[in-house]
Amino acid sequence: MLSLIFIGIRLEQQFGFSTLSVPFCSGSVLSSLFIQRSISVGASGALFGLLGAMLSELLTNWTIYTNKAAALITLTVIIVINLAVRILPHIDNFAHIGGFLTGFLLRFVLLLRPQFGWVGRKHLPASAPVTSKHKAYQYLFLVIAMVLLIVGFTVGLVMLFRGENGHDHCSWCHYLSCVPTSKWHCGN
């Protein structure tokens, strides 16, 4: 919950409440495809959505960060530690992975920021050259993210409504949610 508060406050200050209130529901879809015999609840899918949004924010606006390597390493370590801890049995890592991927992609769609230093046309003199509000790579990321989100949700929902089990199509995916050790073993 502390991570959700600190990360959520930072992103809310940058992008506003209404933009961040979009639910990260793909974690629930992915969880429903792979864990069909139990119910999973919690805010951790949304937390991983915020972590994914932070990572895509860092990668998109790489040039404005002063200590790039430290920011990337810190965020990567936080993500890896949170995923590693959740490999324990009875923790729904599929909701976390789905939330992370959706947050990462939704940031390109919903949180498209103007390029650094862009000023609105109404504040410029009439003779000033017109520059694009966004860079070409931002539009490319937006299109790729939209396609991946639409295809991912469509495939996931079709599989879900057909009653298919995600493990039938991915033989190694059970290791994403639980890794058996000498201390515990993972049930089906």
Side-chain angles (χ1 to χ4, degrees):
M1 289 308 292
L2 289 175
S3 298
L4 190 58
I5 289 171
F6 290 124
I7 294 169
I9 287 173
R10 180 183 174 277
L11 289 175
E12 183 181 352
Q13 289 171 345
Q14 285 184 344
F15 299 109
F17 171 76
S18 61
T19 306
L20 286 180
S21 63
V22 176
F24 297 102
C25 60
S26 76
S28 300
V29 173
L30 197 61
S31 176
S32 298
L33 284 173
F34 285 95
I35 303 175
Q36 295 180 337
R37 291 186 176 91
S38 63
I39 297 173
S40 174
V41 295
S44 56
L47 169 64
F48 275 92
L50 293 176
L51 287 171
M54 283 183 69
L55 181 61
S56 61
E57 166 67 19
L58 176 67
L59 296 176
T60 302
N61 295 315
W62 184 257
T63 57
I64 66 173
Y65 285 91
T66 55
N67 198 350
K68 299 165 179 55
L72 182 62
I73 290 169
T74 302
L75 188 58
T76 304
V77 166
I78 290 170
I79 293 167
V80 168
I81 288 173
N82 275 297
L83 283 174
V85 168
R86 287 167 170 84
I87 294 180
L88 297 170
H90 308 296
I91 295 180
D92 184 7
N93 226 14
F94 292 107
H96 305 152
I97 293 168
F100 179 82
L101 292 174
T102 303
F104 184 80
L105 295 173
L106 275 177
R107 189 259 171 229
F108 293 118
V109 176
L110 297 177
L111 306 176
L112 189 64
R113 293 175 91 175
Q115 61 179 325
F116 185 69
W118 183 82
V119 178
R121 185 74 188 146
K122 65 181 179 180
H123 301 294
L124 294 176
S127 62
V130 177
T131 60
S132 176
K133 184 176 181 178
H134 300 96
K135 296 194 179 225
Y137 72 86
Q138 289 177 303
Y139 291 117
L140 178 66
F141 286 158
L142 177 121
V143 170
I144 291 170
M146 283 289 291
V147 168
L148 289 174
L149 283 168
I150 291 170
V151 168
F153 271 114
T154 303
V155 168
L157 289 173
V158 166
M159 286 177 65
L160 187 63
F161 290 132
R162 286 185 177 174
E164 294 185 28
N165 188 340
H167 292 293
D168 295 340
H169 303 284
C170 180
S171 61
W172 57 270
C173 285
H174 64 279
Y175 291 117
L176 294 175
S177 190
C178 181
V179 176
T181 68
S182 61
K183 303 281 185 202
W184 66 77
H185 37 109
C186 307
N188 292 335

